[in-house]
Amino acid sequence: MADKRKFPRVKRRLVIEFRLAGAPYYGFTYNLSPLGVFVRSIRIPNPGAAIEAELHLPDGKRIPLQGKVVRSYRAPTALARLVPSGFGMALTSTAEDYFQFLAAL
């Protein structure tokens, strides 16, 4: 099956803090692209949810991100180590720092 993505995904494990209904939650990025992020997390919001997040870079800098959940997936327990549970977030507002970080990878 051909990959129909506009941009390749870059696998990186970074801490990401996101807020749902004002409550903070944490997860890890699984992959990143200029248009979105897949977040591995125990807390998985429903598709369509608006998300505000902060990406924690290795140097301590934080990049604000805003987006919308476009898909979510909870792997069965037997596959939890092989298949990531989490959600895909399409970015709707992104700081220029995010694109600079991706370009440097």
Side-chain angles (χ1 to χ4, degrees), residues 7-26:
F7 296 97
R9 301 314 191 247
V10 178
K11 283 191 175 186
R12 285 291 185 274
R13 187 175 191 265
L14 302 168
V15 173
I16 188 164
E17 178 182 353
F18 59 96
R19 288 167 285 292
L20 298 170
Y25 298 95
Y26 291 87

Side-chain angles (χ1 to χ4, degrees), residues 62-97:
R62 295 180 180 195
I63 298 176
L65 304 172
Q66 291 181 356
K68 178 179 162 183
V69 176
V70 292
R71 70 182 182 94
S72 61
Y73 180 74
R74 185 173 304 279
T77 305
L79 297 176
R81 292 193 175 266
L82 303 172
V83 179
S85 290
F87 61 93
M89 180 173 93
L91 299 175
T92 57
S93 179
T94 310
E96 181 62 32
D97 292 348

